[in-house]
Amino acid sequence: MLTLKYNDEKDRALGLGGMAVSLVMWENARYLQRLSLDAPVGEGVALTPDFFLQRNQRASAKAVWTRDVEMFQTEAGMLVANVASRAYIGRREPIDRETRELIVKALADSGSEACGLEEGEVRTVADKIIGYFSQVLAYPAVASIVGEFAEKLRQERSMERDRVVELLGRLERL
């Protein structure tokens, strides 16, 4: 199990900022309710109830599975962007091999449980997500926006979805 341990408040703000970036860039900001530096670890990102909607019993098996995979990918993106933001922006270094393997293992467990994906399938998804967010968060213009966002979060302590989208909306123009 991968647990996110933060070095300090700045590290946590960068991690939460990365998670917000993943939601904004993948057009899933509608699921974001609030970010909070003062919430307990693991609860810094509050998602809306519709993110956790129960399966529709009348939906086809394919529709249910497709939604499960989409939610898994959203959660995977948040995890990877958290780690990538802290690595590329906070420490100015890539995600190391050990951390990468911990991410893949954690995703393999949750991908199997959430939507029946096999480890090889999860590894393919994880590699794509890690590659994507590593490239995005290493890009200087994005790193600058996310760094500024993390500082605002430290000042404001908590942000609702509209404020997050307002501050990260510039990413859409890059």
Side-chain angles (χ1 to χ4, degrees), residues 4-6 12-13 16 19 34-46 82 157-158:
L4 297 174
K5 294 182 182 177
Y6 299 102
R12 186 168 188 214
L16 294 176
M19 295 172 92
R34 158 186 346 86
L35 295 179
S36 175
L37 272 179
D38 298 323
V41 172
E43 298 176 23
V45 176
N82 179 305
R157 312 300 303 164
S158 178

Side-chain angles (χ1 to χ4, degrees), residues 43-98:
E43 298 176 23
V45 176
L47 300 173
T48 61
D50 56 327
F51 181 82
F52 303 100
L53 280 179
Q54 297 297 331
R55 294 180 173 158
N56 180 346
Q57 299 300 324
R58 296 181 195 183
S60 71
K62 182 177 182 183
V64 169
W65 183 79
T66 299
R67 170 146 167 85
D68 289 348
V69 170
E70 288 173 5
M71 294 302 98
F72 165 69
Q73 289 177 327
T74 298
E75 290 175 346
M78 290 171 57
L79 170 66
V80 170
N82 179 305
V83 174
S85 177
R86 295 162 56 207
Y88 285 96
I89 301 168
R91 296 187 306 276
R92 291 179 169 63
E93 61 188 34
I95 298 171
D96 62 62
R97 185 179 307 265
E98 180 183 346

Side-chain angles (χ1 to χ4, degrees), residues 8-163:
D8 53 28
E9 186 175 271
K10 181 179 180 181
D11 189 50
R12 186 168 188 214
L14 283 170
L16 294 176
M19 295 172 92
V21 165
S22 75
L23 291 168
V24 169
M25 293 193 74
W26 279 359
E27 298 178 1
N28 285 321
R30 67 187 177 279
Y31 295 124
L32 179 62
Q33 190 170 10
R34 158 186 346 86
L35 295 179
S36 175
L37 272 179
D38 298 323
V41 172
E43 298 176 23
V45 176
L47 300 173
T48 61
D50 56 327
F51 181 82
F52 303 100
L53 280 179
Q54 297 297 331
R55 294 180 173 158
N56 180 346
Q57 299 300 324
R58 296 181 195 183
S60 71
K62 182 177 182 183
V64 169
W65 183 79
T66 299
R67 170 146 167 85
D68 289 348
V69 170
E70 288 173 5
M71 294 302 98
F72 165 69
Q73 289 177 327
T74 298
E75 290 175 346
M78 290 171 57
L79 170 66
V80 170
N82 179 305
V83 174
S85 177
R86 295 162 56 207
Y88 285 96
I89 301 168
R91 296 187 306 276
R92 291 179 169 63
E93 61 188 34
I95 298 171
D96 62 62
R97 185 179 307 265
E98 180 183 346
T99 302
R100 185 182 186 102
E101 284 305 312
L102 286 171
I103 291 170
V104 171
K105 176 67 177 134
L107 294 179
D109 293 344
S110 65
S112 174
E113 183 181 316
C115 41
L117 295 176
E118 294 178 12
E119 187 169 344
E121 294 170 311
V122 171
R123 183 170 291 278
T124 299
V125 170
D127 285 343
K128 287 180 182 177
I129 293 171
I130 291 168
Y132 176 77
F133 282 113
S134 293
Q135 186 176 17
V136 166
L137 291 163
Y139 185 66
V142 173
S144 176
I145 291 169
V146 176
E148 291 170 13
F149 176 84
E151 267 312 302
K152 288 269 190 208
L153 180 58
R154 288 179 69 195
Q155 292 167 2
E156 296 178 25
R157 312 300 303 164
S158 178
M159 291 182 186
E160 300 297 318
R161 173 185 46 231
D162 290 344
R163 179 71 170 141

